[in-house]
Amino acid sequence: MSKDEARLRLDRFLARQLPEYSRSRLQQLIRTGFVQLNSATTRPRQVVRSGDEIELTEPPVEKIEAQPEPIPLEILFEDDDLIVINKPAGLVVHPGAGHRQHTLVNALLSQCTTLSGIGGKERPGIVHRLDKETSGCLVVAKNDTTHRELSRQFAKRIVEKVYLALVAGKLRKQSGVIEEKIGRHPVHRQRMSVASARGRAAKTEYRVVRSGDNASLVECRLHSGRTHQIRVHLHHLGHSVLGDKVYATRAAKDFPRQMLHAWKIGFRHPGSGAWKNFEAPLPDDFATAMKLTTESQQV
């Protein structure tokens, strides 16, 4: 353990040592007693010191309680290890408060004979998420080995993620990089903000694809995975995602949902080791909004 690591919180220290686990997952394991510091249960914010002994035990896989539902899914790829879905806008990824059923997990349980159990009974197979109103590529693990490897790739920023966003106005620069830390908004706790004192590093690379007088189609490449990252960064740039009810409330009513689409995803297949790229076709509502708000000629 280095001197710098000896001053870290336990959850941050473990996140560095175990990139296959998300920090929120580690915090959950610490709080539920599956992580012991010097043979005793502890808290995520406990500071680690040189000489400390840390033991992490994987909890038994929880029984899946969500029920299968025959919800149609557009499958981009499927094999014994994973499935890639073109998630429709309006579909919640996993059960939670206010959404106990009619989620992607319910649909997956109807489609797949097995899903990884690492996410627990609420999130079987779920490696990453998309907002309810965001459409596009989402990869799901069918077994725990695949889940751990995909989680590691997400944590190490190996996964390539490309989004399309319809935003308000015409951007002054045709391309650029936004590097602003993102954290919970200091007042509005349901929002994220670049003004948070506890923000975490975030990087979004963007390129204007099409542009009209009132709106632009922007390609965004994520180099980090913060909550609401694209929406927050584009809002900070002065060009909020059209239809966004949180960050672009004035024009939100003019669109059926937030105009954000997870267009492409690329990762190394955990089983074969081969690099895989997938592209999700634009849904009708996004394509229609794009035609109505931007010129047909590419920039």
Side-chain angles (χ1 to χ4, degrees):
M1 182 185 298
S2 68
K3 292 182 179 179
D4 289 340
E5 290 175 330
R7 293 193 293 266
L8 290 174
R9 289 167 44 128
L10 176 60
D11 57 347
R12 291 182 181 273
F13 173 78
L14 288 175
R16 285 191 179 187
Q17 301 298 315
L18 304 169
E20 65 271 25
Y21 291 87
S22 68
R23 190 172 163 202
S24 60
R25 176 62 172 163
L26 288 168
Q27 290 172 340
Q28 180 187 34
L29 291 174
I30 295 168
R31 293 191 183 102
T32 51
F34 289 98
V35 175
Q36 292 199 335
L37 179 65
N38 299 321
S39 302
T41 56
T42 185
R43 299 170 296 177
R45 66 172 181 267
Q46 178 65 48
V47 175
V48 297
R49 295 177 174 82
S50 180
D52 282 345
E53 293 185 2
I54 303 169
E55 181 179 1
L56 184 150
T57 305
E58 273 282 5
V61 175
E62 297 183 70
K63 182 180 178 181
I64 297 173
E65 292 188 353
Q67 297 301 310
E69 295 181 42
I71 300 171
L73 292 175
E74 181 179 353
I75 300 172
L76 303 176
F77 175 82
E78 183 176 12
D79 64 9
D80 292 339
D81 296 315
L82 55 89
I83 182 170
V84 183
I85 302 295
N86 181 11
K87 187 188 88 67
L91 184 64
V92 175
V93 171
H94 59 75
H99 298 282
R100 304 307 303 177
Q101 52 187 352
H102 312 317
T103 71
L104 177 63
V105 163
N106 297 105
L108 288 168
L109 290 172
S110 177
Q111 174 70 35
C112 305
T113 55
T114 61
L115 290 171
S116 75
I118 291 176
K121 59 187 178 183
E122 302 289 355
R123 307 179 187 182
I126 302 303
V127 181
H128 67 122
R129 290 176 289 175
L130 296 175
D131 294 334
K132 175 184 176 182
E133 295 193 353
T134 298
S135 55
C137 292
L138 191 142
V139 59
V140 176
K142 289 187 173 183
N143 55 67
D144 291 356
T145 300
T146 298
H147 195 133
R148 290 192 182 95
E149 172 56 20
L150 287 173
S151 294
R152 185 191 70 82
Q153 292 187 42
F154 273 100
K156 290 291 188 180
R157 312 303 179 205
I158 296 170
V159 178
E160 294 183 354
K161 296 170 285 183
V162 182
Y163 287 69
L164 290 176
L166 271 173
V167 304
K170 180 179 288 188
L171 283 71
R172 289 181 295 174
K173 296 174 61 178
Q174 294 304 303
S175 63
V177 177
I178 309 168
E179 291 189 81
E180 296 286 344
K181 292 182 178 181
I182 293 176
R184 189 69 59 183
H185 194 286
V187 177
H188 306 288
R189 304 305 291 171
Q190 299 304 311
R191 300 176 61 179
M192 308 301 286
S193 171
V194 299
S196 172
R198 297 185 177 181
R200 301 175 68 188
K203 179 180 178 181
T204 303
E205 181 182 356
Y206 71 90
R207 178 179 68 89
V208 176
V209 180
R210 296 181 181 181
S211 187
D213 292 334
N214 300 313
S216 300
L217 176 66
V218 181
E219 176 188 294
C220 296
R221 290 181 177 270
L222 290 182
H223 297 276
S224 51
R226 307 304 175 206
T227 301
H228 298 177
Q229 178 172 322
I230 292 175
R231 297 161 63 191
V232 172
H233 271 173
L234 292 176
H235 177 69
H236 173 71
L237 203 64
H239 300 277
S240 299
V241 175
L242 295 173
D244 191 332
K245 298 179 178 64
V246 176
Y247 302 100
T249 54
R250 290 183 181 180
K253 65 181 183 299
D254 298 328
F255 297 86
R257 50 101 170 188
Q258 64 192 27
M259 294 289 104
L260 186 61
H261 180 65
W263 185 29
K264 298 178 180 180
I265 192 167
F267 55 88
R268 196 163 296 285
H269 191 286
S272 68
W275 185 263
K276 297 288 187 178
N277 290 300
F278 302 98
E279 180 178 322
L282 290 179
D284 291 341
D285 60 352
F286 195 103
T288 299
M290 182 177 68
K291 291 177 181 178
L292 291 174
T293 57
T294 64
E295 297 172 351
S296 59
Q297 184 176 3
Q298 290 190 352
V299 174

